[in-house]
Amino acid sequence: MENKRIVCSAPGKVLVTGGYLVLDKKYDGIVFTIDSRFYTTIEGSLKTTTSSSSSSNNSSNKETLTSSFETLEYLTDINVISPQFHSSQTYHIYYNKSNENKSYQLKPFGNNNYRENKYVENTIIYSLITLSQYKNQTTQSFNNLISSYQLISITIVGDNGFYSQIPQLKKRNLSISFESLKSLPKFLPVTGSLEELQKTGLGSSAALVSSLTASLLSFFGAIDLENKNGGDQQQLQKDKTVLHNLAQVSHCIAQGKIGSGFDISSAVFGSQVYRRFSPELINDILKLYDSKLYPNSKELLKCISETEWDNKHLDMGLPRGLHLLLADVSIGSNTPVMVKKILEWRKNDPMVSNGIWNQLDIENTNVKHCFIKLNQLYKENELQYDKVLSQFGNISQSNWESSIGNNNNNNNNNNNNNNDNNNQDSILFNNIGKTLITIRESFLKIRSLMREMGKIADVPLEPLEQTELADHTMSINGCIAAGVPGAGGFDALFAIVINNQDEIKNSWMNWKKCQVLPLVLNENSTGVAIDMSHITPKL
């Protein structure tokens, strides 16, 4: 056997419709994934005959370090490296022979500055529990497999887009601009402490957990994400479903609550229309954790692979010819507090809140249907679709309606000449124009309803500063919609545009009322993936 290496990556996300509504399984939301990704590299160094003998002696020492370790069987060491946080932590992995609800344990050592990392540590433990009896594996054979490695190294890095790079630009004496951002090296270390770290709201923890779960399951042969030559699509979906369910469990455990799950779902499956799973599916596992216990392998496997989850995810990327822009608005918001206040308001005022949420759902559904329609129109006539979309991108949005009217007049004149091609082109022009208008109007209504909800609940879902910035952005030719993604607040602003990206980015950088920096990213519908071309940075 040779030393083994696997790399899996998972994307960040932008929730453009369904903010707060995705917490309720009656409603769905549209989430686009992006090309900013987290990468997890796992490398296993196999024991040699000499190291096996030495390890055997060390193993007995580790088992008897203290009386509390008497029932623990030492398996191997695992080293988790995060170059961006200048962090390296090694753990002994133990198997508990006498307590199946504490079957695998990580014991940190060799670091006086150890800090618990719930996202990494819980993901590793729940993955080990899953792997120990998955696909006819026996616990003993799995433990033997782990023990065949002298050391398992895990390196985790995230693209720069997940964290505000303004401190890096200032540190390098670079202008606060899009061009400066593009010039930065990949996987830059974060500046300052963890408490000072400013994220951009792209779902870093979900991308991390998803990439780590995928790498662990792939490394030990439980799933196959490569699917070379289009292989068995049904098996690939089964593998991704188990990966998704396990990642949801690990992420909820790390967060200490059951969230909506759209960030994990998009990290695994890519851009989609998402509807959440029932919290009851994993409640019992969280209760065990609250008692400082883990599920045994049968309990966990029943939850993640034998029970059919009721979440929904419809693949849907950004329609052809449209582009996603995102800006880092460096004011920041406390999302958990905002979510808590909205849910309290909804509980205390169900009549008003349900009314607003149902109206939001109507507009969100309109946007979904329009995106689907644009994809259908593209398939009908690709060349003409691109041409017409470009025309609307160069027309002031206030003239979109009149352009359709002018097109109808021209079409009536052409009908007298029986020109069928012109007639078909005219119909396509009208369909695209009306669809774009509906998308724009629905987003304006969504923003209005979110502001209303925020005002009633006393939560700044679209603060005045963001309203002014979004309105300005939507006034620029080529912009269909702009708004505050996800839970709202001050963190970011998204725009869905046809063209004029540079003009919009420049307008953001020149915005006087607060610091706004366009992020270097694009929509990319690819979910979790094997990514062996990734070059793992060193600590």
Side-chain angles (χ1 to χ4, degrees):
M1 290 177 65
E2 297 181 353
N3 291 345
K4 190 172 182 181
R5 177 178 181 266
I6 196 81
V7 185
C8 290
S9 68
K13 51 68 188 171
V14 180
L15 184 72
V16 297
T17 71
Y20 295 97
L21 272 69
V22 290
L23 292 164
D24 188 325
K25 64 192 299 289
K26 288 197 305 182
Y27 307 106
D28 53 35
I30 298 172
V31 53
F32 293 129
T33 48
I34 53 175
D35 53 8
S36 291
R37 302 177 73 87
F38 257 81
Y39 299 82
T40 298
T41 303
I42 301 184
E43 298 175 280
S45 303
L46 288 163
K47 292 176 181 174
T48 62
T49 305
T50 306
S51 66
S52 294
S53 172
S54 168
S55 167
S56 176
N57 294 331
N58 289 339
S59 166
S60 61
N61 292 336
K62 287 164 185 166
E63 280 187 331
T64 56
L65 284 174
T66 71
S67 59
S68 64
F69 284 11
E70 287 176 355
T71 59
L72 300 186
E73 175 190 354
Y74 168 75
L75 300 178
T76 191
D77 289 343
I78 190 165
N79 182 216
V80 178
I81 305 163
S82 178
Q84 290 166 297
F85 289 88
H86 309 287
S87 167
S88 175
Q89 178 60 56
T90 307
Y91 305 84
H92 298 317
I93 303 179
Y94 290 95
Y95 175 69
N96 191 331
K97 298 177 180 179
S98 60
N99 189 342
E100 63 178 8
N101 289 117
K102 288 186 176 180
S103 54
Y104 291 95
Q105 296 182 28
L106 299 180
K107 300 292 182 183
F109 73 95
N111 187 348
N112 294 330
N113 298 316
Y114 165 73
R115 291 184 62 167
E116 181 184 26
N117 188 326
K118 289 185 176 182
Y119 291 98
V120 170
E121 293 168 9
N122 281 300
T123 300
I124 293 172
I125 288 174
Y126 282 86
S127 296
L128 294 176
I129 296 169
T130 298
L131 288 160
S132 67
Q133 292 191 22
Y134 187 54
K135 288 187 176 178
N136 300 317
Q137 177 83 267
T138 66
T139 301
Q140 188 58 56
S141 64
F142 178 63
N143 289 350
N144 291 341
L145 177 59
I146 296 178
S147 298
S148 69
Y149 290 98
Q150 179 73 20
L151 177 69
I152 297 172
S153 296
I154 300 176
T155 304
I156 305 171
V157 292
D159 279 321
N160 292 342
F162 286 99
Y163 310 108
S164 176
Q165 297 302 322
I166 291 175
Q168 279 285 358
L169 296 177
K170 291 179 177 178
K171 183 180 177 181
R172 294 161 184 258
N173 293 318
L174 295 172
S175 62
I176 311 298
S177 69
F178 182 75
E179 292 303 318
S180 295
L181 266 187
K182 286 200 299 184
S183 73
L184 293 176
K186 288 177 71 69
F187 309 122
L188 278 172
V190 299
T191 57
S193 66
L194 278 174
E195 290 74 22
E196 296 168 334
L197 180 64
Q198 188 174 342
K199 298 182 181 181
T200 51
L202 299 180
S204 56
S205 65
L208 183 159
V209 167
S210 299
S211 69
L212 176 55
T213 305
S215 291
L216 286 164
L217 296 185
S218 298
F219 183 83
F220 288 107
I223 63 173
D224 179 11
L225 295 176
E226 287 192 284
N227 194 36
K228 291 178 180 176
N229 304 318
D232 188 342
Q233 287 294 324
Q234 190 174 9
Q235 184 59 49
L236 177 62
Q237 285 306 306
K238 285 182 180 178
D239 285 349
K240 281 190 173 182
T241 298
V242 170
L243 161 59
H244 164 269
N245 296 353
L246 178 57
Q248 290 283 16
V249 168
S250 300
H251 196 240
C252 289
I253 290 290
Q255 288 190 316
K257 63 182 178 68
I258 302 175
S260 67
F262 78 87
D263 43 5
I264 290 286
S265 184
S266 56
V268 173
F269 296 108
S271 296
Q272 62 188 256
V273 180
Y274 174 77
R275 186 166 296 201
R276 71 159 306 142
F277 59 89
S278 297
E280 293 77 21
L281 286 165
I282 61 175
N283 260 338
D284 289 345
I285 292 177
L286 260 74
K287 288 177 183 176
L288 277 172
Y289 186 77
D290 291 339
S291 303
K292 301 190 184 320
L293 297 171
Y294 297 97
N296 61 44
S297 56
K298 289 182 180 178
E299 290 169 333
L300 186 53
L301 285 170
K302 181 180 179 181
C303 171
I304 66 170
S305 69
E306 297 167 18
T307 302
E308 186 172 348
W309 286 36
D310 55 356
N311 57 301
K312 307 290 183 190
H313 55 90
L314 170 68
D315 291 348
M316 191 177 72
L318 197 61
R320 160 81 180 205
L322 304 189
H323 307 277
L324 179 69
L325 302 181
L326 195 73
D328 174 10
V329 181
S330 51
I331 300 176
S333 298
N334 190 326
T335 299
V337 171
M338 293 168 64
V339 172
K340 183 180 179 182
K341 289 184 73 172
I342 289 292
L343 293 181
E344 285 176 353
W345 161 71
R346 192 171 183 228
K347 182 180 178 181
N348 295 331
D349 195 354
M351 185 173 294
V352 172
S353 62
N354 284 337
I356 293 176
W357 281 35
N358 288 335
Q359 290 179 66
L360 278 167
D361 184 52
I362 290 170
E363 301 307 330
N364 293 342
T365 302
N366 282 342
V367 173
K368 175 179 70 176
H369 289 159
C370 285
F371 283 162
I372 292 171
K373 185 171 183 179
L374 284 178
N375 283 326
Q376 291 171 340
L377 291 171
Y378 170 69
K379 290 175 183 177
E380 290 174 11
N381 190 331
E382 297 178 8
L383 290 176
Q384 192 62 17
Y385 172 94
D386 290 340
K387 179 182 174 183
V388 171
L389 202 61
S390 177
Q391 286 177 289
F392 276 100
N394 294 314
I395 301 171
S396 170
Q397 296 91 332
S398 60
N399 292 329
W400 283 0
E401 196 84 54
S402 59
S403 295
I404 294 172
N406 292 337
N407 178 64
N408 288 332
N409 292 334
N410 293 335
N411 186 47
N412 289 334
N413 294 332
N414 287 331
N415 280 340
N416 295 330
N417 299 321
N418 295 318
N419 191 325
D420 289 338
N421 286 335
N422 285 340
N423 189 42
Q424 289 300 316
D425 291 349
S426 177
I427 292 171
L428 183 65
F429 185 95
N430 286 356
N431 283 336
I432 291 174
K434 289 175 181 178
T435 305
L436 294 176
I437 289 170
T438 301
I439 293 172
R440 185 176 175 84
E441 289 177 345
S442 287
F443 269 108
L444 287 169
K445 290 174 184 175
I446 289 167
R447 288 180 51 204
S448 175
L449 289 164
M450 293 294 279
R451 288 195 299 271
E452 181 183 351
M453 178 164 69
K455 184 176 181 181
I456 297 171
D458 192 26
V459 180
L461 299 186
E462 188 185 283
L464 178 61
E465 295 90 336
Q466 292 281 59
T467 297
E468 292 174 345
L469 181 59
D471 287 346
H472 170 76
T473 302
M474 289 186 71
S475 72
I476 298 172
N477 284 6
C479 181
I480 304 169
V484 186
F490 289 101
D491 285 337
L493 188 89
F494 74 85
I496 296 172
V497 306
I498 301 169
N499 52 17
N500 286 340
Q501 293 100 310
D502 288 343
E503 183 179 347
I504 292 169
K505 290 172 186 174
N506 287 330
S507 76
W508 285 349
M509 288 185 287
N510 292 323
W511 193 249
K512 303 297 184 186
K513 299 185 179 181
C514 59
Q515 192 167 60
V516 182
L517 182 61
L519 295 179
V520 182
L521 56 80
N522 294 289
E523 191 264 349
N524 185 311
S525 298
T526 305
V528 71
I530 298 285
D531 216 326
M532 296 305 291
S533 62
H534 168 70
I535 299 173
T536 306
K538 302 299 181 184
L539 183 63

